Amino acid sequence: MMQEGLDDGPDFLSEEDRGPRAVNVDLQTDATLQVDISDALSERDKVKFTVHTKSTLPNFKQNEFSVVRQHEEFIWLHDSFVENEEYAGYIIPPAPPKPDFDASREKLQKLGEGEGSMTKEEFTKMKQELEAEYLAIFKKTVAMHEVFLCRVAAHPVLRKDLNFHVFLEYNQDLSVRGKNKKEKLEDFFKNVVKSADGVLVAGVKDVDDFFEHEKTFLLEYHNRVKDSSAKSDRMIRSHKNAADDINRIASTLYTLGTQDSTDLCKFFLKVSELFEKTRKIEARVAADEDLKLADLLKYYLRESQAAKDLLYRRGRALVDYENANKALDKARAKNKDVLQAETTQQVCCQKFEKISESAKQELIDFKTRRVAAFRKNLVELAELELKHAKGNLQLLQSCLGVLKGDT
Amino acid sequence: MSEDREAPALLGAAHTDPPEPQDAEDLFVSVACVTECPEAARLSAEDLSPGSDGHKDPDDPDDPDDLFAEATEEVSLDSPERQPILSDGPSPAITPVTPVTISPRLDVFDRSLDQDDEEEENRDTLDIQISVSDPEKVGDGMNAFMVYKVTTKTSLSIFSRDEVCVKRRFSDFLGLHSKLASKYMHMGFIVPPAPEKSIVGMTKVKVGKEDLSSVEFVEKRRSALERYLLRTVKHPALLKDPDVLQFLESSELPRAVSTQALSGAGILRMVNKAADAVNKMTIKMNESDAWFEEKQQQFENLDVQLRKLHASVESLVCHRKELSVNTAAFAKSAAMLGNSEDHTALSRALSQLAEVEEKIDQLHQEQANADFYLISELLGDYVRLITAVRGVFDQRMKTWGKWQDAQLMLQRKREAEAKLQYASKPEKLQQARDEIREWEGKVQQGERDFEQISRNIRREVGQFEKERVKDFRVVIMKYLESLVHSQQQLIKYWEAFLPEAKAIA
């Protein structure tokens, strides 16, 4: 969707990039609430996203409006969902990862330092490469932030969240600073406690077959997706490295072609030209694999974690409920604080049942979304691979034809 | 020895039979003592390639008596054949005297153009096939070595049989190269370099590790040895060289210990190399022939670029191998993911994806091999060949240096003689006059050698460039075809996968 043609224009978001992004599908884009990221600006150490909303809902002042948001504000919104007890029974759309241009910036810096040691053409070429890489990372981070918002907008309950509306509409800075060291430390401990607890909770056998199955399934699936995601990243990186080598080979062949005194000069020049073109295609193949495969796997790594979190919350509620039952029985036996025990038990029961009900639907939806997303991306992956292989083949065959004709 | 073959021809004898060592030896001995550079005589062997048998060089005498008569003519500086090649350089103080000490073989050095063309044709349609195969490990531990079977199939008459098989080890090849280099390089012949030694590679093999890297190492070496032999026999002079023939045909070969780095010969080699390097810096040659200067620059540039290209290709090979490994890992991971996926159609599609990726990893592996065996090894060979070419140019410089030194010496002797004129010491005067004559001869020889080597180099470089064009063309076309094949396979695999992906419901 994003990188169709061989040459990407310099503008960050072209027409074709609008609308729901590659990874997630099956989102009801109904007219009542449509959210997208219409523009983005990359500054020194932050990215500014322009969040654009179209809505017919009455609670918004206008039908169409835009605000500028930064990554921290997305995180604030996500965390507010997680901390909200009301949403315990839903899969909270995973937070978008932090924009990370460090690697790219480092490479650009190294290039600048090494400028003296390479020819002007090589330098310009490598600079273009790195700039394209930077652009690709940029597009990706925009996509991930947009997907998050779209997921929220598509969710029947979350879309009504007040914080979400404020996020969309309030055109001042939300004054949400990133977490300071103390808060980060708190988060760290919270996570440790949570995962320890998670193990305990997971140990409790569930009466409901559906949830028991989901628990085992999600655990294994999450681990496998994590593995696949890492391996696909490595594979794509090797692919990129190979494409870089072909780039260097093309340059050297070009120099050889200009220097050679024999008939080989034309030959070298032609082959150099060929490799330049095939290299671009190879780089595109790696980029598309990254988008359709690696990103897909990464996204479902995060989503399956969110689903696991839901199961954990439900499990926690179940344990609380069972404990409340035991407490009630004890209270009744001792005939002490019975009323209090009864209320606690009621609360726990309600909480548990509420979560269970919505969780079931959420998990079913998760599966539907997952299957649809994989289908879409695998099909697109195969189509793109075919397109590139055919392109490569055509270039190679036409070059061979010319070279054979020359002899 | 190659003298065997020239003697009969020069005496007009038919030369279709294999040479008789005994008679020719005697004949040549008498001739040899007259010449200053006996090895130069072996050059004439080139003229006697099977193709040129019926064709006689107009200067080629049938009568031994005429040998010297012919030689006398050739020595003249104004000889028309010389003009185009000779530079304006040499000191005019040298009078064209014709000393008897000139090598009688000069005539055969001047090859007519026709002969050159025929040689080139012979190179292209050379009827000889050499293969190096069946590496076998002999012995154990650190004394172990690999033995290769060298099979030569040919219809050329200089070989005793149509098909010969011998067993050779790596040091035998190095020994052969060393002999050829010492015989021919100083005459300006580009002797193909032997494959490089590799301590690490061999140690692994010796120690007995049967892993992939030592198997690859042996295969790489085997292929390199084969290419080395093929290049060597392509050169008409080297093909007829007795050392080459002995290498290809005789079942027992004396062990070439001088190729070991720490042997006496090895150390001598190192000393010589250092001396050469110093010489290179101190000899400031007046290059009056622009061709040589141009060519040297071209080869220098070519050297730089080829090394760069070689490095990039090696990097590509490495990354492609990495890609293959990582794709295989991903394939396995995708298969596991497919297994744990509980939606049946998606599960199947993921397994299919895993299969596609597995096939693709095989493809990458094959492509990496093509990258390597076709391109990388070719480039490595040419980097070494260019070093040999540049070495030959250096030899020419050395030859020039010798010539200049001889001229200086002659000058000094003349000055000494002039001084003695007024000293009235008749014996010393006579001695000085004798020395002058001696050095005049050396100057002549030096000039002749210089012209000879220049001529040879021109011819060799011309041939080398032709070969280079051919080699690169052929290899690169093959490589492109391998890329075409890869892409076709890729298309097949993804086309098979697409319906599976679409079938996910």
Side-chain angles (χ1 to χ4, degrees):
Chain A
M1 243 174 128
M2 289 214 291
Q3 302 183 10
E4 292 297 278
L6 273 187
D7 301 309
D8 275 330
D11 52 281
F12 282 158
L13 295 175
S14 56
E15 281 304 314
E16 65 191 11
D17 293 337
R18 293 182 205 276
R21 302 280 164 153
V23 176
N24 221 341
V25 241
D26 216 26
L27 305 173
Q28 294 90 342
T29 44
D30 57 310
T32 48
L33 183 59
Q34 274 181 331
V35 185
D36 65 277
I37 296 186
S38 58
D39 198 5
L41 196 60
S42 167
E43 287 182 4
R44 185 136 182 79
D45 55 351
K46 54 184 177 243
V47 182
K48 292 202 168 117
F49 302 96
T50 307
V51 179
H52 167 252
T53 316
K54 257 199 199 150
S55 173
T56 53
L57 291 175
N59 32 349
F60 293 115
K61 295 197 198 78
Q62 300 161 297
N63 282 350
E64 190 169 347
F65 48 90
S66 290
V67 293
V68 175
R69 290 284 172 249
Q70 288 184 36
H71 176 72
E72 287 74 24
E73 292 163 313
F74 286 77
I75 299 301
W76 163 82
L77 183 61
H78 171 263
D79 289 347
S80 75
F81 290 152
V82 169
E83 286 154 15
N84 191 332
E85 286 275 331
E86 292 292 305
Y87 302 144
Y90 307 123
I91 296 181
I92 309 293
K98 188 168 156 109
D100 181 16
F101 296 101
D102 285 345
S104 191
R105 236 179 253 132
E106 213 180 280
K107 277 196 211 170
L108 266 166
Q109 195 176 11
K110 262 201 208 145
L111 179 67
E113 284 167 11
E115 185 174 352
S117 68
M118 54 181 94
T119 69
K120 191 156 184 285
E121 296 119 9
E122 272 175 18
F123 178 73
T124 345
K125 242 212 242 171
M126 289 217 66
K127 187 149 162 276
Q128 277 175 357
E129 280 297 305
L130 286 179
E131 280 172 355
E133 204 180 290
Y134 189 93
L135 185 64
I137 298 177
F138 184 78
K139 278 192 183 166
K140 258 210 243 184
T141 191
V142 167
M144 304 216 203
H145 284 74
E146 193 182 73
V147 158
F148 169 70
L149 293 178
C150 292
R151 278 270 279 124
V152 174
H155 195 281
V157 175
L158 293 175
R159 76 211 308 241
K160 300 193 203 124
D161 183 81
L162 190 60
N163 282 337
F164 183 49
H165 290 182
V166 167
F167 177 92
L168 290 177
E169 199 179 17
Y170 186 60
N171 56 10
Q172 302 287 328
D173 189 5
L174 287 175
S175 301
V176 167
R177 53 170 177 68
K179 297 192 173 167
N180 63 20
K181 265 209 198 127
K182 176 158 162 279
E183 284 163 345
K184 282 197 183 142
L185 206 61
E186 280 173 3
D187 269 356
F188 175 72
F189 280 121
K190 258 197 237 166
N191 275 333
V192 169
V193 167
K194 183 175 148 208
S195 45
D197 196 29
V199 171
L200 263 133
V201 163
V204 174
K205 179 116 173 65
D206 207 317
V207 178
D208 191 330
D209 276 343
F210 174 81
F211 285 106
E212 190 56 33
H213 164 83
E214 286 296 306
K215 199 163 54 168
T216 12
F217 163 72
L218 271 176
L219 197 59
E220 194 186 51
Y221 187 79
H222 178 79
N223 288 335
R224 301 253 171 107
V225 165
K226 197 191 266 182
D227 185 56
S228 292
S229 173
K231 302 249 163 75
S232 79
D233 277 346
R234 262 201 288 257
M235 177 175 81
I236 291 165
R237 204 175 9 250
S238 295
H239 217 136
K240 282 205 186 108
N241 286 342
D244 283 343
D245 286 326
I246 298 179
N247 197 8
R248 271 187 286 268
I249 291 173
S251 296
T252 319
L253 279 173
Y254 180 78
T255 317
L256 271 170
T258 53
Q259 282 177 355
D260 206 290
S261 56
T262 66
D263 284 341
L264 280 181
C265 64
K266 275 185 282 157
F267 198 79
F268 282 147
L269 286 173
K270 199 93 199 39
V271 176
S272 162
E273 201 187 313
L274 169 71
F275 281 162
E276 273 290 338
K277 295 198 189 128
T278 58
R279 194 265 316 168
K280 284 211 178 84
I281 295 185
E282 286 298 321
R284 188 46 59 87
V285 169
D288 284 340
E289 282 176 352
D290 196 22
L291 218 56
K292 304 293 173 192
L293 196 57
D295 278 357
L296 175 72
L297 292 170
K298 275 200 203 79
Y299 186 80
Y300 277 94
L301 181 61
R302 292 200 300 276
E303 271 255 12
S304 57
Q305 182 61 46
K308 274 170 75 181
D309 289 344
L310 169 61
L311 280 182
Y312 160 72
R313 288 193 292 271
R314 180 180 170 275
R316 177 82 255 159
L318 176 59
V319 166
D320 289 343
Y321 179 35
E322 285 178 352
N323 287 345
N325 271 338
K326 289 195 196 122
L328 181 59
D329 287 344
K330 245 201 235 168
R332 281 197 181 133
K334 288 188 187 163
N335 212 348
K336 195 179 161 190
D337 298 322
V338 172
L339 194 59
Q340 191 181 34
E342 270 180 0
T343 352
T344 320
Q345 196 255 26
Q346 287 269 9
V347 166
C348 284
C349 175
Q350 270 172 1
K351 184 169 169 200
F352 173 68
E353 277 173 4
K354 182 167 168 228
I355 292 182
S356 285
E357 197 179 308
S358 56
K360 190 161 187 163
Q361 191 54 50
E362 287 284 299
L363 288 167
I364 292 173
D365 285 346
F366 172 60
K367 180 159 165 172
T368 322
R369 272 202 314 274
R370 184 174 79 243
V371 171
F374 269 78
R375 183 188 190 282
K376 174 172 184 278
N377 282 285
L378 287 178
V379 166
E380 282 175 4
L381 174 70
E383 284 172 349
L384 284 168
E385 294 268 5
L386 269 172
K387 176 175 155 204
H388 294 318
K390 286 185 179 152
N392 255 340
L393 182 64
Q394 203 231 0
L395 280 172
L396 286 165
Q397 281 173 332
S398 91
C399 182
L400 261 173
V402 169
L403 291 176
K404 282 191 179 146
D406 272 350
T407 42
Chain B
M1 295 278 112
S2 59
E3 296 104 313
D4 311 337
R5 251 144 293 137
E6 3 176 63
L10 284 166
L11 297 176
H15 134 86
T16 39
D17 316 310
E20 314 268 63
Q22 312 89 308
D23 306 333
E25 198 81 39
D26 294 338
L27 281 163
F28 195 74
V29 163
S30 54
V31 171
C33 61
V34 171
T35 93
E36 285 226 357
C37 37
E39 321 88 272
R42 285 177 205 147
L43 270 177
S44 62
E46 304 156 39
D47 287 334
L48 308 175
S49 70
S52 64
D53 235 344
H55 170 97
K56 289 277 188 182
D57 186 319
D59 291 334
D60 198 349
D62 289 336
D63 191 345
D65 295 334
D66 274 346
L67 282 173
F68 295 90
E70 289 295 328
T72 337
E73 271 177 43
E74 296 304 312
V75 175
S76 156
L77 278 174
D78 300 323
S79 138
E81 277 151 309
R82 297 284 190 96
Q83 231 105 53
I85 307 165
L86 200 59
S87 51
D88 299 330
S91 136
I94 300 177
T95 50
V97 173
T98 62
V100 181
T101 51
I102 290 304
S103 156
R105 299 282 170 249
L106 276 177
D107 53 302
V108 297
F109 291 4
D110 288 321
R111 304 152 59 95
S112 67
L113 278 163
D114 291 347
Q115 240 171 343
D116 274 350
D117 287 343
E118 220 164 314
E119 284 272 312
E120 280 158 26
E121 269 171 44
N122 288 336
R123 272 204 198 205
D124 292 344
T125 61
L126 207 51
D127 180 20
I128 178 169
Q129 285 171 352
I130 301 188
S131 65
V132 174
S133 58
D134 305 325
E136 248 178 72
K137 187 166 154 198
V138 172
D140 259 320
M142 285 313 286
N143 291 328
F145 56 92
M146 294 300 281
V147 159
Y148 302 87
K149 186 162 94 170
V150 178
T151 313
T152 312
K153 287 200 190 103
T154 177
S155 62
L156 295 174
S157 47
I158 45 174
F159 288 90
S160 57
R161 298 198 289 286
D162 279 350
E163 185 169 335
V164 192
C165 268
V166 293
K167 293 239 161 95
R168 295 283 178 255
R169 54 184 290 191
F170 186 65
S171 56
D172 293 334
F173 290 81
L174 292 181
L176 175 67
H177 168 74
S178 162
K179 285 196 202 137
L180 292 176
S182 63
K183 279 198 238 178
Y184 294 105
M185 257 195 73
H186 69 92
M187 290 193 298
F189 280 40
I190 301 173
V191 177
E196 284 173 345
K197 290 197 205 184
S198 163
I199 299 176
V200 174
M202 258 335 265
T203 311
K204 271 210 205 145
V205 172
K206 284 182 190 185
V207 166
K209 284 184 80 171
E210 280 295 325
D211 65 354
L212 192 63
S213 66
S214 40
V215 167
E216 274 176 11
F217 172 78
V218 171
E219 172 54 31
K220 183 172 160 189
R221 181 162 275 195
R222 181 210 68 78
S223 172
L225 291 172
E226 196 173 271
R227 290 196 306 274
Y228 165 67
L229 286 180
L230 282 167
R231 280 217 181 85
T232 305
V233 297
K234 265 210 196 118
H235 196 295
L238 299 180
L239 173 59
K240 294 186 216 97
D241 183 282
D243 283 324
V244 171
L245 290 172
Q246 186 191 36
F247 180 90
L248 292 175
E249 289 191 317
S250 79
S251 45
E252 283 300 318
L253 205 62
R255 173 98 188 277
V257 280
S258 64
T259 57
Q260 285 162 348
L262 293 179
S263 65
I267 297 190
L268 190 63
R269 254 201 305 280
M270 281 194 279
V271 170
N272 280 338
K273 248 197 202 154
D276 280 347
V278 172
N279 271 341
K280 230 166 117 175
M281 290 188 283
T282 51
I283 296 181
K284 201 58 186 94
M285 178 162 168
N286 293 335
E287 187 59 80
S288 38
D289 191 340
W291 185 91
F292 283 93
E293 204 165 313
E294 216 180 282
K295 279 295 168 193
Q296 262 185 293
Q297 189 58 50
Q298 277 175 8
F299 279 116
E300 223 174 277
N301 292 343
L302 191 59
D303 191 21
V304 167
Q305 293 306 319
L306 282 184
R307 278 177 203 268
K308 226 163 116 179
L309 191 60
H310 189 214
S312 299
V313 172
E314 282 192 322
S315 174
L316 176 63
V317 170
C318 182
H319 285 138
R320 254 216 244 268
K321 286 209 172 119
E322 227 176 71
L323 178 57
S324 166
V325 165
N326 288 340
T327 309
F330 174 70
K332 284 205 188 80
S333 182
M336 298 271 280
L337 185 63
N339 278 346
S340 64
E341 174 59 66
D342 60 353
H343 186 273
T344 5
L346 180 55
S347 169
R348 197 180 50 239
L350 283 171
S351 310
Q352 298 283 17
L353 181 68
E355 264 179 48
V356 167
E357 294 290 350
E358 206 179 301
K359 290 196 198 126
I360 291 179
D361 110 67
Q362 279 299 100
L363 211 58
H364 285 311
Q365 182 66 33
E366 281 163 23
Q367 187 60 59
N369 282 337
D371 289 345
F372 180 71
Y373 284 107
L374 283 177
I375 305 284
S376 179
E377 288 286 85
L378 172 79
L379 289 171
D381 285 350
Y382 267 90
V383 166
R384 283 197 297 278
L385 272 166
I386 303 258
T387 311
V389 171
R390 295 176 76 189
V392 141
F393 278 95
D394 290 342
Q395 287 291 335
R396 177 173 172 268
M397 212 164 68
K398 254 168 93 171
T399 312
W400 184 85
K402 255 170 79 176
W403 178 25
Q404 295 305 312
D405 289 345
Q407 283 183 343
L408 265 155
M409 211 36 161
L410 179 64
Q411 189 77 11
R412 249 180 251 150
K413 295 292 179 195
R414 287 220 169 104
E415 283 166 5
E417 193 239 11
K419 282 207 197 114
L420 285 172
Q421 292 263 358
Y422 303 105
S424 53
K425 287 195 189 136
E427 331 82 51
K428 284 234 172 106
L429 195 59
Q430 185 54 39
Q431 185 191 8
R433 289 218 175 102
D434 285 339
E435 281 180 0
I436 290 179
R437 231 187 302 282
E438 183 194 333
W439 280 96
E440 278 172 347
K442 287 201 177 144
V443 166
Q444 296 273 4
Q445 188 60 45
E447 188 182 1
R448 220 189 316 272
D449 285 346
F450 178 72
E451 283 165 9
Q452 186 60 46
I453 196 176
S454 301
R455 241 198 317 271
N456 286 344
I457 290 180
R458 274 181 190 263
R459 192 187 58 240
E460 289 283 301
V461 165
Q463 198 60 39
F464 176 80
E465 292 285 75
K466 266 214 190 96
E467 287 290 327
R468 180 166 76 90
V469 171
K470 213 165 56 154
D471 269 351
F472 271 81
R473 256 220 176 93
V474 163
V475 165
I476 292 185
M477 299 281 253
K478 254 201 224 152
Y479 180 66
L480 291 182
E481 278 165 7
S482 83
L483 287 177
V484 164
H485 172 78
S486 283
Q487 294 303 314
Q488 285 169 334
Q489 290 294 98
L490 268 178
I491 291 176
K492 228 171 57 177
Y493 298 151
W494 286 110
E495 272 177 352
F497 174 72
L498 190 54
E500 288 289 341
K502 287 190 171 155
I504 303 172

